[in-house]
Amino acid sequence: MSHLPPGQLGFIEQVQYFFTALSGRTYIPSPKDLAYLLPLKEQGAPAAAVCRGIEEAFRAYGEADRPRSVRQCWPFIEAELERLAESGMHLAPEAGEGSGSGQGAEVSSSPPPASSSQSRGESGDPELLRETLDAIEEAGRASAEERWREAYRQGWRRARELSQERGDFGFEELEAADRALIEAYWEALKAAEREELEAAIAAQLAGELRDMSPRARREHQLARRRKALIERYGLVDLLRLIGW
């Protein structure tokens, strides 16, 4: 990877250096980022694949809405690991990262599922749930149109359901609540509005999706929808507002 400096770097250091180069600011992994990255390292995920996922996330979100943390890039990282697994390549700890000999045994080629505690990387956070519900409720009250207020009501209910179903509320649940808002907002659009946005998104992504896995394509399209809904129709930027 051209973004990486010469010499041998550990898994976390490679990701840190790469994210810093892409974002243009010094990036230090937060405890929550480390809680996501360390299980990937233990499973043998190549740093190069993780960095490719991060790069895809930056491309999808665009200059105006760059990811602020590695955990925000996780759908793209796992899409890249999924593509790697489908190609038949096995994941194994990189040299110097596993046993003392540096030759790690092969492990499962599949990344940890998004619903696992490793992917979540943290226990439930009642404060995060409260902040999420408050942010959605405030945005709904500030909306001038009933269709947007109903979309926020759906997002609020989904956040509560996620907390009750899973017994906690961490980053995975926050991200799922954000997706629920995107879907509700998208469905609230008039047919002509949806068609206009779909055409604009297709033009933006022309030629970019050809070599991506199906999951990576879906994540790119979702990121573009999110950006368009925020900019054109006032969808609350839930992740940025809460500081994730």
Side-chain angles (χ1 to χ4, degrees):
M1 288 179 298
S2 60
H3 288 276
L4 297 179
Q8 296 297 317
L9 291 177
F11 177 91
I12 299 298
E13 289 77 13
Q14 289 186 52
V15 173
Q16 179 179 0
Y17 189 92
F18 191 86
F19 197 98
T20 294
L22 283 184
S23 65
R25 61 179 178 82
T26 301
Y27 164 70
I28 299 176
S30 69
K32 292 173 182 176
D33 279 352
L34 289 174
Y36 173 69
L37 287 169
L38 288 175
L40 293 183
K41 171 187 170 184
E42 292 168 3
Q43 290 228 350
V50 173
C51 290
R52 284 195 297 271
I54 292 172
E55 187 169 24
E56 288 300 326
F58 271 81
R59 288 175 57 197
Y61 283 108
E63 288 291 325
D65 193 27
R66 289 180 167 188
R68 298 169 298 284
S69 66
V70 167
R71 64 186 180 279
Q72 192 177 346
C73 304
W74 77 264
F76 297 90
I77 294 172
E78 296 197 8
E80 179 61 28
L81 295 177
E82 182 180 281
R83 185 196 65 78
L84 195 67
E86 289 173 352
S87 71
M89 297 182 66
H90 294 282
L91 307 185
E94 298 182 3
E97 296 287 341
S99 63
S101 65
Q103 300 296 322
E106 289 187 350
V107 297
S108 169
S109 60
S110 299
S115 60
S116 71
S117 59
Q118 286 183 331
S119 178
R120 183 178 298 113
E122 57 191 33
S123 60
D125 185 350
E127 180 67 16
L128 178 60
L129 174 61
R130 185 191 63 78
E131 290 178 2
T132 300
L133 295 177
D134 287 351
I136 295 173
E137 184 174 357
E138 183 177 348
R141 288 176 176 172
S143 298
E145 296 186 48
E146 175 57 27
R147 58 174 174 165
W148 306 138
R149 290 194 290 270
E150 175 57 28
Y152 284 117
R153 283 193 286 268
Q154 292 180 34
W156 191 94
R157 288 193 293 267
R158 184 56 184 148
R160 290 282 296 179
E161 289 170 358
L162 287 164
S163 176
Q164 293 168 357
E165 290 170 1
R166 303 182 185 183
D168 62 8
F169 197 88
F171 174 70
E172 181 189 342
E173 287 73 31
L174 172 61
E175 196 269 346
D178 186 61
R179 286 176 179 241
L181 275 178
I182 295 170
E183 292 172 3
Y185 240 73
W186 188 260
E187 290 302 316
L189 292 173
K190 299 173 183 177
E193 292 171 336
R194 276 198 299 271
E195 291 173 4
E196 180 186 358
L197 287 189
E198 287 284 23
I201 291 171
Q204 292 170 3
L205 295 176
E208 292 188 17
L209 303 180
R210 184 174 55 254
D211 298 325
M212 295 183 190
S213 69
R215 181 171 179 175
R217 286 196 292 271
R218 290 194 300 271
E219 294 302 332
H220 266 264
Q221 290 166 339
L222 179 67
R224 297 288 179 164
R225 280 187 180 184
R226 182 178 187 275
K227 180 178 175 63
L229 290 173
I230 289 171
E231 293 179 349
R232 298 195 188 190
Y233 294 100
L235 171 67
V236 65
D237 190 343
L238 191 60
L239 301 182
R240 184 180 294 276
L241 183 64
I242 294 178
W244 284 64

